[in-house]
Amino acid sequence: MPQLKIPSPWTTGYGLARTLLALGTLGTLAFSDSATLFREVATVGHYPLCKGVTGAGAWCLVPTQDYDTVRWLCCLVLLLVASGWRPALTAIPHAYIAFSVFTGIAIPDGGDQITWLLSLLIALVALGDTRRWHWQANTDRTAGDQTGTEPHRRYLALLGTSALVLARLQMSVLYFQACVAKLPHAEWADGTALYYWINNYAFGAADWLHPVLNAVVQNPLGVALMTWLPLVIELSLAAALLLPQKVRWILLPIGILFHLGIAIVMGLWSFALAMTAGLLLLLAPLGHDPDFTALLRSRKNDTTARAPARSMDLAPAGEDPEISSGSVTAA
């Protein structure tokens, strides 16, 4: 009977994405007090609203005086998630906290929304992850050997890989929408939009950046490049799944630097961490497993023996990641 090879989803690559998502939410909760996060919004009401499904959020289950206690408990859980300890145990709490933050705080941003969606999809992966730490190399290396994998592990691998595929599609659609939604606006079409964003009172550049950025955006060519380059990057990332893997590896640092630039200019650090996690899921091959523990061991050995060692378990460009990074087989 024909067999389908399923890339094993329990990798250190998806673990790094989990850590980045957790750190983004952790920063929001740790560096904002409850009076800032939960307050009145004009024409809407006092957050958390606790209406409908949002009433299941963590801050809707306790009285107002306990908001800070819940906030710090969530921070402790997010620290565990970010550390990589027991993914199967921390996956659902992580997704629940991300949901509670997105639905509960007064002014969530796009980073909170994508964190909630990705943490939910990643939870479907982590439920089958039996490792103690998500930094450990993947041990389900049974490519082509149906007898070497228990049936329930194959089903969990299929569930996890399907969730990662959905996450990739989500990121692709997100970047496509981010690009095309700008095009009908005259400022984006004529190349002047970044002038207004740089000088925006709420989201504009910090005072120390204004002299440098204003020198660029006050030049016609400079402002046009700063305005149109993000559109090119977003459209390229939207089409990434249609491009060869070697091109995706090139897009990965470009996308990370793009979001890092947004964070530096606009201060949207949790958004940058969420999008970087999404970029890892979008652009790395399914089953890609950079072995961070092997990297640390090789560096330690290199300082003592200077023997040549492979520092990371990476698939060469064009190589099937199912074979190079481990896969499970389903009938």
Side-chain angles (χ1 to χ4, degrees):
M1 183 177 178
Q3 296 178 348
L4 173 66
K5 290 182 179 178
I6 305 168
S8 181
W10 305 297
T11 66
T12 53
Y14 109 93
L16 178 57
R18 291 185 74 232
T19 291
L20 293 174
L21 291 171
L23 289 176
T25 308
L26 176 63
T28 298
L29 294 178
F31 297 106
S32 305
D33 59 27
S34 293
T36 300
L37 295 172
F38 310 107
R39 55 190 176 86
E40 187 83 17
V41 175
T43 74
V44 179
H46 194 283
Y47 278 79
L49 297 177
C50 302
K51 297 178 180 178
V53 69
T54 67
W59 286 274
C60 291
L61 305 180
V62 298
T64 305
Q65 61 267 24
D66 292 331
Y67 281 0
D68 265 336
T69 301
V70 173
R71 182 168 64 90
W72 288 115
L73 286 175
C74 288
C75 287
L76 290 176
V77 174
L78 291 170
L79 278 174
L80 282 178
V81 175
S83 73
W85 181 78
R86 296 291 186 188
L89 297 180
T90 57
I92 297 301
H94 181 202
Y96 177 67
I97 291 171
F99 164 79
S100 299
V101 170
F102 172 60
T103 60
I105 65 176
I107 308 179
D109 62 27
D112 299 315
Q113 184 175 24
I114 196 63
T115 295
W116 149 234
L117 293 173
L118 291 181
S119 63
L120 178 62
L121 291 171
I122 282 179
L124 299 178
V125 184
L127 287 175
D129 194 341
T130 58
R131 296 174 297 172
R132 183 184 297 272
W133 302 93
H134 69 211
W135 305 114
Q136 293 173 318
N138 179 22
T139 57
D140 277 321
R141 298 177 179 275
T142 55
D145 181 10
Q146 185 178 11
T147 61
T149 306
E150 298 176 6
H152 78 277
R153 296 296 295 164
R154 296 199 296 272
Y155 300 143
L156 289 172
L158 178 60
L159 175 65
T161 301
S162 300
L164 291 178
V165 170
L166 286 176
R168 288 152 72 95
L169 292 174
Q170 170 68 64
M171 294 303 300
S172 181
V173 171
L174 187 155
Y175 280 113
F176 180 76
Q177 192 274 338
C179 178
V180 300
K182 297 181 178 73
L183 298 180
H185 299 279
E187 295 82 4
W188 286 98
D190 63 22
T192 62
L194 262 292
Y195 172 84
Y196 302 105
W197 278 112
I198 293 299
N199 292 284
N200 183 274
Y201 177 76
F203 294 101
D207 291 341
W208 64 275
L209 274 176
H210 259 292
V212 175
L213 293 179
N214 270 328
V216 176
V217 297
Q218 288 176 2
N219 178 281
L221 179 59
V223 71
L225 287 175
M226 283 192 68
T227 300
W228 291 332
L229 185 58
L231 300 179
V232 173
I233 294 173
E234 288 170 345
L235 192 59
S236 300
L237 292 171
L241 294 179
L242 305 177
L243 302 175
Q245 184 57 52
K246 61 182 180 181
V247 179
R248 296 186 209 172
W249 285 130
I250 296 171
L251 287 174
L252 182 58
I254 293 174
I256 292 174
L257 288 174
F258 171 55
H259 288 295
L260 178 62
I262 294 175
I264 293 172
V265 174
M266 298 184 175
L268 301 175
W269 289 99
S270 63
F271 176 75
L273 289 170
M275 297 305 292
T276 299
L279 284 173
L280 293 173
L281 300 177
L282 172 65
L283 299 175
L286 290 173
H288 177 65
D289 193 15
D291 190 346
F292 296 118
T293 56
L295 175 62
L296 294 175
R297 288 196 304 269
S298 68
R299 286 184 174 179
K300 181 179 179 180
N301 293 337
D302 185 61
T303 59
T304 56
R306 296 293 179 183
R310 184 178 63 179
S311 61
M312 298 186 75
D313 185 15
L314 302 177
E319 183 174 332
D320 186 351
E322 296 177 355
I323 304 301
S324 62
S325 297
S327 62
V328 294
T329 307

